[in-house]
Amino acid sequence: MGTIRMHTTAFDADLDVRDGETVLEALRRYNLPAMGFLLFDQEGGFVSLTDQVAGGARVEAHSLRNPDFTALNPALQLVRSADPVAEIFAADGADQRPTLLQFNRAEGIDYIYASFKTVLDAYRQANPDAGELQVALSGGGDGRIVGECAGRYQDETGAAFAAVITANGFEDETAHLESAVAIAERFGLPYEVFDEAASAAFLKIDNGFGPLLADYRNAFPTDEAEVMATYWVQQLDLAVAKKHGRKAILFGYNQEDVIAEKLYQALVGTLLPPYPVRSARGVDLIAPLYKAPKKLIDALDLDNSMKNYDRRVASVSYLRSSCYFAAYNLIERFPALALAMVDPAMLGAANTEIPDWLRTCD
């Protein structure tokens, strides 16, 4: 068995390397970033991450910077629940300590609804003439929870909602529409349904979405056609909102949706206004689930979520997959940073005044 001698500014440690294990595999097993270390053997020779370490041999691994390595493997507190159905990583307390929160079904929906209500209360207070709010309602887990929260908020406050249910050629049209209609009816939301033909006609797309999806897949074989389908949902909802004079639309974007989108925006160098409220073409787009991890959302309606999973197709996009995997890792390993990414109010509340002792000149 070989050894990796880890050198940091705070401590040194010996990491065992198993027989047949590469340097990269050993670092990952210890939850350490391979790109964060300068590696060489005891004679100063090059060591590859693909190398296996012979028995008795030692690899020197010097941290490239002086970070606090406890951030990679922090003490985790667990908040248990009786009869749990889900658990999520969160940052809790003034010190934003990493915490694993468990929820039973009632606790989970209350946790999400509290955020939903905060967003809607603030929006309606800032826009007293908002009137009827449109809901982009799908048949999946996100749609189920948006529908449940909207129905509850409607009952509690008297706010008016109108759901728009659409198919766009990407999924099983009948199953998708039936599932979304069932959600709307269960939670007392008036709704309007656009099947694929009606959606395309409303958007003035000749011959339906099928030919355009085929053209998209041919032109962009390593990109997700699902992105195009999502775009059509947004365009239809915007068009319907304008037709009815509605000021705002609720979408079911969850925490990793918001983080993945922000990562993509950073890649292209264009940052859009942050959620939970963003304006587009004179209509406000509201994401009341922007703080809720999909892991929690989907666990609250397992049967419906599994039906939605069964309708999915395999991914072909490295970029989209990478953004979502990065979002998952951020939420799990650095929950305080993940929360700051989705909630700009956290950073906006920070004191930006320069202290007097730091002012060296007028």
Side-chain angles (χ1 to χ4, degrees):
M1 181 179 292
T3 303
I4 298 174
R5 171 70 56 85
M6 173 184 170
H7 303 272
T8 78
T9 52
F11 62 88
D12 293 346
D14 286 338
L15 314 177
D16 292 334
V17 182
R18 296 169 178 168
D19 293 339
E21 190 175 47
T22 66
V23 173
L24 177 61
E25 290 168 341
L27 290 173
R28 287 181 171 174
R29 180 164 54 82
Y30 281 98
N31 203 26
L32 294 169
M35 290 300 292
F37 292 93
L38 182 62
L39 304 174
F40 49 87
D41 62 24
Q42 290 178 278
E43 286 73 44
F46 172 76
V47 171
S48 169
L49 290 170
T50 63
D51 288 346
Q52 296 181 6
V53 185
R58 190 175 82 197
V59 172
E60 306 295 333
H62 285 259
S63 175
L64 299 177
R65 297 187 181 275
N66 60 337
D68 178 5
F69 277 86
T70 62
L72 290 176
N73 192 25
L76 184 69
Q77 60 183 358
L78 173 63
V79 178
R80 295 185 181 276
S81 170
D83 195 24
V85 298
E87 61 184 9
I88 63 171
F89 286 92
D92 189 54
D95 60 352
Q96 297 293 279
R97 183 178 175 187
T99 303
L100 198 58
L101 298 179
Q102 291 185 348
F103 301 91
N104 60 33
R105 213 293 171 171
E107 293 165 342
I109 193 62
D110 284 348
Y111 180 87
I112 294 174
Y113 180 72
S115 177
F116 182 100
K117 185 177 187 302
T118 297
V119 171
L120 267 292
D121 284 350
Y123 181 79
R124 294 176 70 226
Q125 183 176 1
N127 299 272
D129 61 342
E132 186 177 62
L133 301 176
Q134 186 168 305
V135 180
L137 192 63
S138 72
D142 295 343
R144 156 61 194 260
I145 299 303
V146 169
E148 184 169 354
C149 288
R152 178 172 170 180
Y153 190 83
Q154 181 175 256
D155 293 342
E156 291 182 0
T157 68
F161 294 98
V164 172
I165 299 168
T166 178
N168 49 33
F170 193 76
E171 65 282 291
D172 182 311
E173 180 178 33
T174 300
H176 174 80
L177 295 178
E178 287 180 349
S179 179
V181 166
I183 292 170
E185 292 181 344
R186 177 173 181 178
F187 298 110
L189 302 177
Y191 61 89
E192 190 173 2
V193 177
F194 293 82
D195 61 18
E196 181 182 347
S199 297
F202 200 90
L203 293 176
K204 297 180 172 58
I205 296 175
D206 296 332
N207 303 317
F209 296 115
L212 287 179
L213 281 173
D215 290 342
Y216 186 92
R217 289 188 174 103
N218 289 332
F220 305 102
T222 60
D223 203 353
E224 300 284 18
E226 183 178 345
V227 173
M228 196 69 198
T230 301
Y231 169 75
W232 285 327
V233 170
Q234 293 174 339
Q235 293 306 298
L236 179 74
D237 268 282
L238 283 168
V240 172
K242 285 182 173 293
K243 174 187 174 183
H244 293 292
R246 295 174 186 143
K247 183 178 176 62
I249 307 170
L250 277 65
F251 288 93
Y253 306 138
N254 55 59
Q255 186 182 38
E256 52 263 43
D257 287 333
V258 175
I259 293 175
E261 185 201 58
K262 189 164 286 189
L263 292 173
Y264 180 79
Q265 291 173 25
L267 287 174
V268 300
T270 302
L271 292 179
L272 298 175
Y275 283 119
V277 180
R278 175 189 297 169
S279 294
R281 289 166 39 192
V283 177
D284 293 329
L285 312 181
I286 306 176
L289 306 188
Y290 76 121
K291 289 184 181 180
K294 187 169 178 59
K295 182 179 177 70
L296 174 58
I297 292 169
D298 286 3
L300 298 184
D301 187 354
L302 194 59
D303 290 342
N304 192 52
S305 295
M306 293 308 299
K307 290 176 184 177
N308 189 49
Y309 295 171
D310 289 341
R311 293 195 290 266
R312 289 180 175 161
V313 298
S315 174
V316 297
S317 172
Y318 172 85
L319 177 58
R320 184 171 182 269
S321 299
S322 298
C323 285
Y324 272 99
F325 282 133
Y328 292 138
N329 276 284
L330 194 64
I331 294 167
E332 179 176 337
R333 300 182 66 171
F334 308 104
L337 187 56
L339 182 58
M341 285 194 72
V342 300
D343 188 5
M346 276 188 66
L347 299 180
N351 188 350
T352 58
E353 290 293 321
I354 299 175
D356 291 338
W357 55 265
L358 195 56
R359 298 180 187 272
T360 57
C361 60
D362 294 329

mmCIF file with all atom_site columns, all heavy atoms in Angstrom, residues 301-317:
data_model
loop_
_atom_site.group_PDB
_atom_site.id
_atom_site.type_symbol
_atom_site.label_atom_id
_atom_site.label_alt_id
_atom_site.label_comp_id
_atom_site.label_asym_id
_atom_site.label_entity_id
_atom_site.label_seq_id
_atom_site.pdbx_PDB_ins_code
_atom_site.Cartn_x
_atom_site.Cartn_y
_atom_site.Cartn_z
_atom_site.occupancy
_atom_site.B_iso_or_equiv
_atom_site.pdbx_formal_charge
_atom_site.auth_seq_id
_atom_site.auth_comp_id
_atom_site.auth_asym_id
_atom_site.auth_atom_id
_atom_site.pdbx_PDB_model_num
ATOM 1   N N   . ASP A 1 301 ? -44.256 13.939 -3.944  1.00 0.00 ? 301 ASP A N   1
ATOM 2   C CA  . ASP A 1 301 ? -45.263 13.255 -4.770  1.00 0.00 ? 301 ASP A CA  1
ATOM 3   C C   . ASP A 1 301 ? -44.531 12.204 -5.591  1.00 0.00 ? 301 ASP A C   1
ATOM 4   O O   . ASP A 1 301 ? -44.277 12.379 -6.778  1.00 0.00 ? 301 ASP A O   1
ATOM 5   C CB  . ASP A 1 301 ? -45.992 14.247 -5.676  1.00 0.00 ? 301 ASP A CB  1
ATOM 6   C CG  . ASP A 1 301 ? -47.158 13.597 -6.429  1.00 0.00 ? 301 ASP A CG  1
ATOM 7   O OD1 . ASP A 1 301 ? -47.316 12.361 -6.326  1.00 0.00 ? 301 ASP A OD1 1
ATOM 8   O OD2 . ASP A 1 301 ? -47.886 14.319 -7.124  1.00 0.00 ? 301 ASP A OD2 1
ATOM 9   N N   . LEU A 1 302 ? -44.169 11.107 -4.922  1.00 0.00 ? 302 LEU A N   1
ATOM 10  C CA  . LEU A 1 302 ? -43.310 10.098 -5.539  1.00 0.00 ? 302 LEU A CA  1
ATOM 11  C C   . LEU A 1 302 ? -43.948 9.472  -6.768  1.00 0.00 ? 302 LEU A C   1
ATOM 12  O O   . LEU A 1 302 ? -43.289 9.289  -7.803  1.00 0.00 ? 302 LEU A O   1
ATOM 13  C CB  . LEU A 1 302 ? -42.979 9.018  -4.501  1.00 0.00 ? 302 LEU A CB  1
ATOM 14  C CG  . LEU A 1 302 ? -41.840 8.061  -4.852  1.00 0.00 ? 302 LEU A CG  1
ATOM 15  C CD1 . LEU A 1 302 ? -40.553 8.815  -5.091  1.00 0.00 ? 302 LEU A CD1 1
ATOM 16  C CD2 . LEU A 1 302 ? -41.664 7.040  -3.735  1.00 0.00 ? 302 LEU A CD2 1
ATOM 17  N N   . ASP A 1 303 ? -45.233 9.137  -6.697  1.00 0.00 ? 303 ASP A N   1
ATOM 18  C CA  . ASP A 1 303 ? -45.888 8.484  -7.828  1.00 0.00 ? 303 ASP A CA  1
ATOM 19  C C   . ASP A 1 303 ? -45.869 9.364  -9.073  1.00 0.00 ? 303 ASP A C   1
ATOM 20  O O   . ASP A 1 303 ? -45.525 8.916  -10.175 1.00 0.00 ? 303 ASP A O   1
ATOM 21  C CB  . ASP A 1 303 ? -47.335 8.128  -7.472  1.00 0.00 ? 303 ASP A CB  1
ATOM 22  C CG  . ASP A 1 303 ? -47.426 7.013  -6.448  1.00 0.00 ? 303 ASP A CG  1
ATOM 23  O OD1 . ASP A 1 303 ? -46.421 6.290  -6.270  1.00 0.00 ? 303 ASP A OD1 1
ATOM 24  O OD2 . ASP A 1 303 ? -48.498 6.866  -5.829  1.00 0.00 ? 303 ASP A OD2 1
ATOM 25  N N   . ASN A 1 304 ? -46.228 10.625 -8.912  1.00 0.00 ? 304 ASN A N   1
ATOM 26  C CA  . ASN A 1 304 ? -46.262 11.528 -10.054 1.00 0.00 ? 304 ASN A CA  1
ATOM 27  C C   . ASN A 1 304 ? -44.855 11.785 -10.597 1.00 0.00 ? 304 ASN A C   1
ATOM 28  O O   . ASN A 1 304 ? -44.645 11.851 -11.816 1.00 0.00 ? 304 ASN A O   1
ATOM 29  C CB  . ASN A 1 304 ? -46.910 12.857 -9.657  1.00 0.00 ? 304 ASN A CB  1
ATOM 30  C CG  . ASN A 1 304 ? -47.243 13.728 -10.849 1.00 0.00 ? 304 ASN A CG  1
ATOM 31  O OD1 . ASN A 1 304 ? -47.896 13.290 -11.779 1.00 0.00 ? 304 ASN A OD1 1
ATOM 32  N ND2 . ASN A 1 304 ? -46.786 14.964 -10.820 1.00 0.00 ? 304 ASN A ND2 1
ATOM 33  N N   . SER A 1 305 ? -43.891 11.903 -9.697  1.00 0.00 ? 305 SER A N   1
ATOM 34  C CA  . SER A 1 305 ? -42.513 12.137 -10.128 1.00 0.00 ? 305 SER A CA  1
ATOM 35  C C   . SER A 1 305 ? -41.984 10.959 -10.930 1.00 0.00 ? 305 SER A C   1
ATOM 36  O O   . SER A 1 305 ? -41.313 11.139 -11.957 1.00 0.00 ? 305 SER A O   1
ATOM 37  C CB  . SER A 1 305 ? -41.615 12.395 -8.911  1.00 0.00 ? 305 SER A CB  1
ATOM 38  O OG  . SER A 1 305 ? -41.982 13.584 -8.261  1.00 0.00 ? 305 SER A OG  1
ATOM 39  N N   . MET A 1 306 ? -42.285 9.736  -10.486 1.00 0.00 ? 306 MET A N   1
ATOM 40  C CA  . MET A 1 306 ? -41.796 8.563  -11.208 1.00 0.00 ? 306 MET A CA  1
ATOM 41  C C   . MET A 1 306 ? -42.411 8.465  -12.603 1.00 0.00 ? 306 MET A C   1
ATOM 42  O O   . MET A 1 306 ? -41.754 8.058  -13.558 1.00 0.00 ? 306 MET A O   1
ATOM 43  C CB  . MET A 1 306 ? -42.077 7.298  -10.402 1.00 0.00 ? 306 MET A CB  1
ATOM 44  C CG  . MET A 1 306 ? -41.281 7.211  -9.104  1.00 0.00 ? 306 MET A CG  1
ATOM 45  S SD  . MET A 1 306 ? -39.500 7.460  -9.321  1.00 0.00 ? 306 MET A SD  1
ATOM 46  C CE  . MET A 1 306 ? -39.104 6.114  -10.420 1.00 0.00 ? 306 MET A CE  1
ATOM 47  N N   . LYS A 1 307 ? -43.679 8.835  -12.729 1.00 0.00 ? 307 LYS A N   1
ATOM 48  C CA  . LYS A 1 307 ? -44.297 8.851  -14.058 1.00 0.00 ? 307 LYS A CA  1
ATOM 49  C C   . LYS A 1 307 ? -43.586 9.843  -14.968 1.00 0.00 ? 307 LYS A C   1
ATOM 50  O O   . LYS A 1 307 ? -43.369 9.582  -16.152 1.00 0.00 ? 307 LYS A O   1
ATOM 51  C CB  . LYS A 1 307 ? -45.775 9.224  -13.936 1.00 0.00 ? 307 LYS A CB  1
ATOM 52  C CG  . LYS A 1 307 ? -46.644 8.166  -13.282 1.00 0.00 ? 307 LYS A CG  1
ATOM 53  C CD  . LYS A 1 307 ? -48.077 8.658  -13.123 1.00 0.00 ? 307 LYS A CD  1
ATOM 54  C CE  . LYS A 1 307 ? -48.936 7.640  -12.377 1.00 0.00 ? 307 LYS A CE  1
ATOM 55  N NZ  . LYS A 1 307 ? -50.319 8.158  -12.149 1.00 0.00 ? 307 LYS A NZ  1
ATOM 56  N N   . ASN A 1 308 ? -43.213 10.978 -14.407 1.00 0.00 ? 308 ASN A N   1
ATOM 57  C CA  . ASN A 1 308 ? -42.501 11.981 -15.191 1.00 0.00 ? 308 ASN A CA  1
ATOM 58  C C   . ASN A 1 308 ? -41.117 11.485 -15.589 1.00 0.00 ? 308 ASN A C   1
ATOM 59  O O   . ASN A 1 308 ? -40.675 11.687 -16.729 1.00 0.00 ? 308 ASN A O   1
ATOM 60  C CB  . ASN A 1 308 ? -42.385 13.273 -14.377 1.00 0.00 ? 308 ASN A CB  1
ATOM 61  C CG  . ASN A 1 308 ? -41.864 14.430 -15.191 1.00 0.00 ? 308 ASN A CG  1
ATOM 62  O OD1 . ASN A 1 308 ? -42.335 14.705 -16.286 1.00 0.00 ? 308 ASN A OD1 1
ATOM 63  N ND2 . ASN A 1 308 ? -40.870 15.129 -14.657 1.00 0.00 ? 308 ASN A ND2 1
ATOM 64  N N   . TYR A 1 309 ? -40.418 10.814 -14.665 1.00 0.00 ? 309 TYR A N   1
ATOM 65  C CA  . TYR A 1 309 ? -39.087 10.274 -14.985 1.00 0.00 ? 309 TYR A CA  1
ATOM 66  C C   . TYR A 1 309 ? -39.172 9.265  -16.134 1.00 0.00 ? 309 TYR A C   1
ATOM 67  O O   . TYR A 1 309 ? -38.298 9.217  -16.995 1.00 0.00 ? 309 TYR A O   1
ATOM 68  C CB  . TYR A 1 309 ? -38.476 9.578  -13.769 1.00 0.00 ? 309 TYR A CB  1
ATOM 69  C CG  . TYR A 1 309 ? -38.173 10.461 -12.584 1.00 0.00 ? 309 TYR A CG  1
ATOM 70  C CD1 . TYR A 1 309 ? -37.798 9.908  -11.369 1.00 0.00 ? 309 TYR A CD1 1
ATOM 71  C CD2 . TYR A 1 309 ? -38.258 11.852 -12.654 1.00 0.00 ? 309 TYR A CD2 1
ATOM 72  C CE1 . TYR A 1 309 ? -37.516 10.694 -10.259 1.00 0.00 ? 309 TYR A CE1 1
ATOM 73  C CE2 . TYR A 1 309 ? -37.985 12.650 -11.553 1.00 0.00 ? 309 TYR A CE2 1
ATOM 74  C CZ  . TYR A 1 309 ? -37.622 12.072 -10.364 1.00 0.00 ? 309 TYR A CZ  1
ATOM 75  O OH  . TYR A 1 309 ? -37.347 12.850 -9.264  1.00 0.00 ? 309 TYR A OH  1
ATOM 76  N N   . ASP A 1 310 ? -40.215 8.452  -16.116 1.00 0.00 ? 310 ASP A N   1
ATOM 77  C CA  . ASP A 1 310 ? -40.356 7.409  -17.138 1.00 0.00 ? 310 ASP A CA  1
ATOM 78  C C   . ASP A 1 310 ? -40.536 7.990  -18.536 1.00 0.00 ? 310 ASP A C   1
ATOM 79  O O   . ASP A 1 310 ? -40.275 7.309  -19.538 1.00 0.00 ? 310 ASP A O   1
ATOM 80  C CB  . ASP A 1 310 ? -41.549 6.496  -16.815 1.00 0.00 ? 310 ASP A CB  1
ATOM 81  C CG  . ASP A 1 310 ? -41.286 5.594  -15.621 1.00 0.00 ? 310 ASP A CG  1
ATOM 82  O OD1 . ASP A 1 310 ? -40.098 5.405  -15.280 1.00 0.00 ? 310 ASP A OD1 1
ATOM 83  O OD2 . ASP A 1 310 ? -42.256 5.092  -15.029 1.00 0.00 ? 310 ASP A OD2 1
ATOM 84  N N   . ARG A 1 311 ? -40.986 9.245  -18.620 1.00 0.00 ? 311 ARG A N   1
ATOM 85  C CA  . ARG A 1 311 ? -41.202 9.857  -19.937 1.00 0.00 ? 311 ARG A CA  1
ATOM 86  C C   . ARG A 1 311 ? -39.963 10.564 -20.471 1.00 0.00 ? 311 ARG A C   1
ATOM 87  O O   . ARG A 1 311 ? -39.975 11.078 -21.581 1.00 0.00 ? 311 ARG A O   1
ATOM 88  C CB  . ARG A 1 311 ? -42.369 10.854 -19.852 1.00 0.00 ? 311 ARG A CB  1
ATOM 89  C CG  . ARG A 1 311 ? -43.717 10.217 -19.585 1.00 0.00 ? 311 ARG A CG  1
ATOM 90  C CD  . ARG A 1 311 ? -44.862 11.171 -19.865 1.00 0.00 ? 311 ARG A CD  1
ATOM 91  N NE  . ARG A 1 311 ? -44.954 12.259 -18.905 1.00 0.00 ? 311 ARG A NE  1
ATOM 92  C CZ  . ARG A 1 311 ? -45.733 12.234 -17.827 1.00 0.00 ? 311 ARG A CZ  1
ATOM 93  N NH1 . ARG A 1 311 ? -46.460 11.164 -17.560 1.00 0.00 ? 311 ARG A NH1 1
ATOM 94  N NH2 . ARG A 1 311 ? -45.775 13.276 -17.004 1.00 0.00 ? 311 ARG A NH2 1
ATOM 95  N N   . ARG A 1 312 ? -38.893 10.590 -19.708 1.00 0.00 ? 312 ARG A N   1
ATOM 96  C CA  . ARG A 1 312 ? -37.709 11.320 -20.121 1.00 0.00 ? 312 ARG A CA  1
ATOM 97  C C   . ARG A 1 312 ? -36.874 10.544 -21.133 1.00 0.00 ? 312 ARG A C   1
ATOM 98  O O   . ARG A 1 312 ? -36.948 9.315  -21.218 1.00 0.00 ? 312 ARG A O   1
ATOM 99  C CB  . ARG A 1 312 ? -36.840 11.655 -18.907 1.00 0.00 ? 312 ARG A CB  1
ATOM 100 C CG  . ARG A 1 312 ? -37.471 12.713 -18.025 1.00 0.00 ? 312 ARG A CG  1
ATOM 101 C CD  . ARG A 1 312 ? -36.609 13.017 -16.842 1.00 0.00 ? 312 ARG A CD  1
ATOM 102 N NE  . ARG A 1 312 ? -37.167 14.113 -16.051 1.00 0.00 ? 312 ARG A NE  1
ATOM 103 C CZ  . ARG A 1 312 ? -36.857 14.367 -14.809 1.00 0.00 ? 312 ARG A CZ  1
ATOM 104 N NH1 . ARG A 1 312 ? -35.985 13.598 -14.195 1.00 0.00 ? 312 ARG A NH1 1
ATOM 105 N NH2 . ARG A 1 312 ? -37.399 15.383 -14.176 1.00 0.00 ? 312 ARG A NH2 1
ATOM 106 N N   . VAL A 1 313 ? -36.068 11.296 -21.885 1.00 0.00 ? 313 VAL A N   1
ATOM 107 C CA  . VAL A 1 313 ? -35.142 10.689 -22.847 1.00 0.00 ? 313 VAL A CA  1
ATOM 108 C C   . VAL A 1 313 ? -33.718 10.942 -22.377 1.00 0.00 ? 313 VAL A C   1
ATOM 109 O O   . VAL A 1 313 ? -33.454 11.857 -21.583 1.00 0.00 ? 313 VAL A O   1
ATOM 110 C CB  . VAL A 1 313 ? -35.344 11.273 -24.265 1.00 0.00 ? 313 VAL A CB  1
ATOM 111 C CG1 . VAL A 1 313 ? -36.738 10.964 -24.774 1.00 0.00 ? 313 VAL A CG1 1
ATOM 112 C CG2 . VAL A 1 313 ? -35.115 12.786 -24.275 1.00 0.00 ? 313 VAL A CG2 1
ATOM 113 N N   . ALA A 1 314 ? -32.780 10.133 -22.876 1.00 0.00 ? 314 ALA A N   1
ATOM 114 C CA  . ALA A 1 314 ? -31.390 10.261 -22.450 1.00 0.00 ? 314 ALA A CA  1
ATOM 115 C C   . ALA A 1 314 ? -30.794 11.584 -22.930 1.00 0.00 ? 314 ALA A C   1
ATOM 116 O O   . ALA A 1 314 ? -31.117 12.087 -24.000 1.00 0.00 ? 314 ALA A O   1
ATOM 117 C CB  . ALA A 1 314 ? -30.576 9.094  -23.003 1.00 0.00 ? 314 ALA A CB  1
ATOM 118 N N   . SER A 1 315 ? -29.907 12.125 -22.121 1.00 0.00 ? 315 SER A N   1
ATOM 119 C CA  . SER A 1 315 ? -29.273 13.407 -22.448 1.00 0.00 ? 315 SER A CA  1
ATOM 120 C C   . SER A 1 315 ? -28.185 13.232 -23.499 1.00 0.00 ? 315 SER A C   1
ATOM 121 O O   . SER A 1 315 ? -27.496 12.207 -23.553 1.00 0.00 ? 315 SER A O   1
ATOM 122 C CB  . SER A 1 315 ? -28.650 14.026 -21.189 1.00 0.00 ? 315 SER A CB  1
ATOM 123 O OG  . SER A 1 315 ? -27.922 15.190 -21.513 1.00 0.00 ? 315 SER A OG  1
ATOM 124 N N   . VAL A 1 316 ? -28.011 14.256 -24.342 1.00 0.00 ? 316 VAL A N   1
ATOM 125 C CA  . VAL A 1 316 ? -26.924 14.276 -25.324 1.00 0.00 ? 316 VAL A CA  1
ATOM 126 C C   . VAL A 1 316 ? -26.036 15.501 -25.126 1.00 0.00 ? 316 VAL A C   1
ATOM 127 O O   . VAL A 1 316 ? -25.118 15.735 -25.903 1.00 0.00 ? 316 VAL A O   1
ATOM 128 C CB  . VAL A 1 316 ? -27.466 14.264 -26.768 1.00 0.00 ? 316 VAL A CB  1
ATOM 129 C CG1 . VAL A 1 316 ? -28.230 12.980 -27.046 1.00 0.00 ? 316 VAL A CG1 1
ATOM 130 C CG2 . VAL A 1 316 ? -28.360 15.493 -27.029 1.00 0.00 ? 316 VAL A CG2 1
ATOM 131 N N   . SER A 1 317 ? -26.304 16.302 -24.097 1.00 0.00 ? 317 SER A N   1
ATOM 132 C CA  . SER A 1 317 ? -25.615 17.582 -23.933 1.00 0.00 ? 317 SER A CA  1
ATOM 133 C C   . SER A 1 317 ? -24.615 17.538 -22.781 1.00 0.00 ? 317 SER A C   1
ATOM 134 O O   . SER A 1 317 ? -25.000 17.426 -21.614 1.00 0.00 ? 317 SER A O   1
ATOM 135 C CB  . SER A 1 317 ? -26.629 18.705 -23.680 1.00 0.00 ? 317 SER A CB  1
ATOM 136 O OG  . SER A 1 317 ? -25.966 19.917 -23.347 1.00 0.00 ? 317 SER A OG  1
#
